[in-house]
Amino acid sequence: MIFSKDYVGYLARQTVKHLIAEKMIQTEKPALLDERVSTAMIEELALEDRINDEVRVILEAFQEDMRKTGASYPEMFKKVKNELARKYKAVL
């Protein structure tokens, strides 16, 4: 993940604080809402890590074919990652 969990927690608290201040949401338990927003943000940010791991597994399986054809690993990584992002409907 590109951000630390502490920073994501900070972003979640600031987001909730802003939404409450702008009267976009109401809550009796802002701490609980902070935690839920933080959890959702961490899960969303971790999605890219999971996709990267899946790309590595896929490319490892085709490593020999890539070597024979002279395919560039970084180029193939991008292509496979974009395909998986489309498959999971993820915005990266």
Side-chain angles (χ1 to χ4, degrees):
M1 186 166 45
I2 58 175
F3 300 112
S4 71
K5 288 185 180 185
D6 291 336
Y7 185 66
V8 174
Y10 167 77
L11 290 175
R13 288 189 303 279
Q14 293 302 311
T15 301
V16 169
K17 188 188 303 183
H18 177 74
L19 291 172
I20 291 171
E22 294 296 319
K23 302 203 185 311
M24 298 175 106
I25 60 171
Q26 294 178 349
T27 182
E28 299 292 321
K29 301 176 183 177
L32 178 61
L33 186 56
D34 288 344
E35 184 62 36
R36 288 183 178 173
V37 171
S38 178
T39 300
M41 291 173 84
I42 287 171
E43 287 176 11
E44 191 63 31
L45 291 169
L47 175 60
E48 185 171 6
D49 293 338
R50 290 192 303 272
I51 288 174
N52 287 342
D53 291 342
E54 191 171 339
V55 170
R56 285 185 195 96
V57 168
I58 290 169
L59 291 181
E60 189 175 303
F62 290 99
Q63 186 174 17
E64 192 60 37
D65 293 335
M66 288 172 54
R67 203 173 294 136
K68 287 178 185 176
T69 61
S72 164
Y73 185 88
E75 187 178 309
M76 292 303 296
F77 191 93
K78 272 189 209 175
K79 287 181 180 183
V80 174
K81 184 175 180 176
N82 287 335
E83 284 298 316
L84 289 177
R86 242 181 271 135
K87 174 184 171 185
Y88 295 127
K89 298 177 183 172
V91 177
L92 304 177

